[in-house]
Amino acid sequence: MLPQDPIILLSYLNTKLRDFYSSLDALCDDLQVDKDAITRSLAAISCQYDPELNQFVRS
């Protein structure tokens, strides 16, 4: 289960992306989570996924 708080979710996902996954798609497939729900949640705190960095960054 993913953290519900967007700030904690941001930290959690960026750590997972840095340490274990080559892309957001790979993370979502492995953890069986909805990519659109994640991106919407983090967009609410002005963050978006940067595939070149493989991290969510402030936009």
Side-chain angles (χ1 to χ4, degrees):
M1 182 144 166
L2 295 178
Q4 297 302 305
D5 181 276
I7 300 296
I8 296 171
L9 179 62
L10 172 65
S11 177
Y12 174 84
L13 291 174
N14 278 345
T15 299
K16 290 286 190 185
L17 288 165
R18 181 191 68 223
D19 294 345
F20 301 108
Y21 297 99
S22 61
S23 70
L24 179 58
D25 288 328
L27 180 146
C28 290
D29 288 344
D30 189 49
L31 299 180
Q32 299 179 337
V33 295
D34 182 2
K35 180 179 174 181
D36 291 333
I38 289 171
T39 55
R40 278 193 309 273
S41 178
L42 293 180
I45 59 167
S46 300
C47 291
Q48 64 183 1
Y49 180 68
D50 183 330
E52 289 184 21
L53 296 174
N54 192 33
Q55 294 283 288
F56 280 92
V57 296
R58 297 241 182 225
S59 51

